[in-house]
Amino acid sequence: MNRRRAPRRISHPQRRGASAGGQWRQRSEEQWRGHVKARGREVEEDERCEQHGKETVPRGTCQTMCPARELRAREAQYRLHHFEMLAGTERDRQPKGDPLRAVKEYSRPAAGKDSTIPTDLRPPAVLLKTVHYLIDDVAASPHLHPWTEVYGFVFDRLRGVKQDMIIQRVSGENCVAILERTVRFLIYASYRLCGEPLRLYDPCINDTHLQENLSWLLDCYATEKGPHPNQEEFQALGLLYNLGSARATQHIMELPERLRSSPAITLALSINRAFLEQNPIRLLRLAQRLNFLQSCALHRHLMTCRRDLLLIYSHGYNSRNCRFPLHGLGQLLFLDTSLTARLCQEYGVEVNRDNQVVFSKAAFTEPEQGKLHCKLYHNIVAEKQRDLTVENIIHGCS
């Protein structure tokens, strides 16, 4: 007996799957821009704002950097950072918090915890004031040290600022100003703390938050009306930091011609092209034209660039009778003679007693994990800092 087969029902996900290629591209672009990653962990806060199917956005009323309720709780729980303690009470059994120095700390979303209470949220103007305090009075202070501890404190409090921004869906000039200073701080920290022990500074965590804040900032430039006077600076920083990234390059190429042809972005595109073409000599020469913060963004690629140069020369000058002057190699690497010899030694490249380099492709070896200290070769960046203070760097004053 023949039974008529019922038509196959196609679910909505299956229908959407028909155009998977286009959606994959769109989804990848969103991940780069940061819609998913930048707000992933904190976006749960927004869900608590829905009441009877109608969404409401909480507005903060706290006019201090740290809500009074949190300050009292942290005093009672001995959770005050010594940067926040009232002068003269540091050695007391229960130190007091200074309302003028205490800053709301970051707290992870938890079940049953209401993070939308207006008295616990700081409005945009107070958030910007908090960021200025963290930069001017903490990060740039000559009296607070070590800087790894300063970084840890500022990093956590900036996360708290970002959390308040997400809950209130802050946008506009204050949002852009906060994100710009946060990105500059994280880029500068990636250079200054390079090589520090993981217990004091984790470059992967710093990179994650830098990418999130940068993505959010670039999205603000794209969706909010300007003017955005610093857009050229941060578009270039984004490309230099993500050198060789196809998505970062595509993002730059989709910018308006007026912006794409600006000096900073043109230089960043030239450096990116040299990186993609594996032309380390041209890249290092172009890097001399970068300012200090741009060099900080680029610095994590410099060791790869110098390694590629030694590898290319090890193949190109592979001969028993060929000698290359150590001084000349140092000029190409933009290192002094002693550091050039040390770098050659790290990669198995022989330097004889006459300060001549003997290249051999068979002798070239990769150094062991953690043996090569990037911080020793920071001169190409350090020379550009000169009289710039931390305050000038993070506020964008050159």
Side-chain angles (χ1 to χ4, degrees):
M1 181 175 180
N2 294 329
R3 293 184 179 179
R4 188 176 181 180
R5 181 175 297 178
R8 183 184 177 194
R9 298 182 62 185
I10 301 176
S11 63
H12 291 292
Q14 287 174 316
R15 290 193 187 101
R16 288 195 298 266
S19 58
Q23 287 200 346
W24 177 87
R25 181 179 179 182
Q26 181 182 1
R27 195 160 55 242
S28 299
E29 183 66 16
E30 287 178 353
Q31 288 174 351
W32 186 85
R33 285 175 179 261
H35 287 294
V36 177
K37 190 175 181 182
R39 308 183 187 187
R41 287 186 291 270
E42 292 95 342
V43 76
E44 298 174 4
E45 302 290 350
D46 291 339
E47 296 176 1
R48 298 192 180 99
C49 301
E50 296 184 7
Q51 296 177 355
H52 305 292
K54 185 176 180 180
E55 193 174 16
T56 60
V57 179
R59 299 299 178 190
T61 60
C62 177
Q63 296 300 313
T64 57
M65 296 188 295
C66 182
R69 185 173 67 167
E70 178 184 316
L71 184 57
R72 291 193 299 269
R74 287 168 56 198
E75 283 179 347
Q77 297 167 9
Y78 302 94
R79 290 194 298 112
L80 286 174
H81 194 282
H82 69 87
F83 291 168
E84 303 173 308
M85 294 178 183
L86 189 65
T89 68
E90 296 91 348
R91 297 182 180 276
D92 291 357
R93 182 176 177 274
Q94 189 174 46
K96 297 293 182 182
D98 187 342
L100 299 179
R101 299 173 64 203
V103 184
K104 181 181 179 180
E105 65 180 1
Y106 170 77
S107 60
R108 296 183 180 277
K113 179 182 177 183
D114 188 1
S115 300
T116 64
I117 301 173
T119 54
D120 289 344
L121 295 173
R122 298 160 291 180
V126 177
L127 291 173
L128 182 58
K129 174 187 172 183
T130 301
V131 171
H132 277 276
Y133 168 78
L134 291 171
I135 295 168
D136 301 339
D137 294 77
V138 182
S141 173
H143 308 295
L144 301 180
H145 52 80
W147 210 78
T148 49
E149 186 175 3
V150 171
Y151 164 82
F153 178 81
V154 175
F155 178 83
D156 177 84
R157 296 329 189 243
L158 286 176
R159 288 189 73 186
V161 168
K162 179 184 173 188
Q163 189 175 45
D164 278 13
M165 290 170 65
I166 291 174
I167 294 171
Q168 301 175 86
R169 300 190 179 180
V170 176
S171 59
E173 293 182 6
N174 285 333
C175 178
V176 170
I178 290 170
L179 291 173
E180 287 179 346
R181 284 158 178 79
T182 302
V183 169
R184 289 195 191 105
F185 170 77
L186 295 174
I187 288 177
Y188 173 67
S190 70
Y191 157 73
R192 179 163 178 172
L193 299 180
C194 178
E196 293 288 341
L198 283 177
R199 60 186 175 83
L200 300 176
Y201 167 72
D202 190 327
C204 293
I205 293 177
N206 189 82
D207 172 69
T208 298
H209 288 276
L210 173 52
Q211 298 284 14
E212 290 176 359
N213 283 278
L214 179 62
S215 297
W216 188 357
L217 176 60
L218 297 184
D219 186 61
C220 288
Y221 290 150
T223 58
E224 297 180 10
K225 292 183 179 180
H228 300 299
N230 298 323
Q231 183 176 181
E232 175 189 338
E233 172 193 353
F234 285 93
Q235 297 286 3
L237 286 173
L239 182 57
L240 291 170
Y241 188 81
N242 294 290
L243 213 58
S245 166
R247 292 193 183 100
T249 305
Q250 181 181 359
H251 170 77
I252 294 293
M253 298 310 295
E254 291 174 352
L255 293 174
E257 172 64 25
R258 174 192 57 80
L259 189 60
R260 193 171 65 249
S261 60
S262 61
I265 296 179
T266 301
L267 178 57
L269 281 169
S270 298
I271 292 175
N272 186 61
R273 181 176 179 179
F275 183 84
L276 292 172
E277 293 175 347
Q278 294 187 334
N279 189 342
I281 294 179
R282 176 171 171 75
L283 191 153
L284 289 170
R285 286 175 180 169
L286 289 172
Q288 303 303 306
R289 295 161 52 186
L290 298 173
N291 63 31
F292 175 69
L293 193 63
Q294 290 171 336
S295 299
C296 289
L298 179 71
H299 103 275
R300 67 182 190 147
H301 304 286
L302 291 177
M303 286 309 301
T304 300
C305 181
R306 284 166 170 154
R307 176 258 180 203
D308 290 346
L309 192 151
L310 290 178
L311 179 61
I312 291 170
Y313 274 52
S314 293
H315 283 73
Y317 290 92
N318 178 48
S319 173
R320 293 181 180 179
N321 300 320
C322 184
R323 301 291 182 269
F324 197 96
L326 182 64
H327 176 71
L329 182 61
Q331 290 180 328
L332 296 175
L333 294 168
F334 289 93
L335 295 172
D336 60 35
T337 304
S338 60
L339 284 176
T340 303
R342 181 167 183 166
L343 187 65
C344 288
Q345 182 181 5
E346 297 283 1
Y347 285 99
V349 179
E350 180 186 349
V351 178
N352 63 23
R353 295 180 180 178
D354 298 325
N355 282 337
Q356 294 177 327
V357 183
V358 184
F359 286 110
S360 170
K361 62 182 181 181
F364 185 91
T365 56
E366 299 288 350
E368 297 178 7
Q369 185 73 22
K371 186 178 180 181
L372 187 61
H373 301 291
C374 174
K375 200 166 188 174
L376 293 173
Y377 306 96
H378 278 181
N379 63 309
I380 198 172
V381 183
E383 293 169 355
K384 298 177 183 290
Q385 185 169 359
R386 296 172 186 165
D387 298 328
L388 286 175
T389 64
V390 176
E391 187 176 359
N392 295 146
I393 295 165
I394 299 175
H395 284 305
C397 305
S398 55

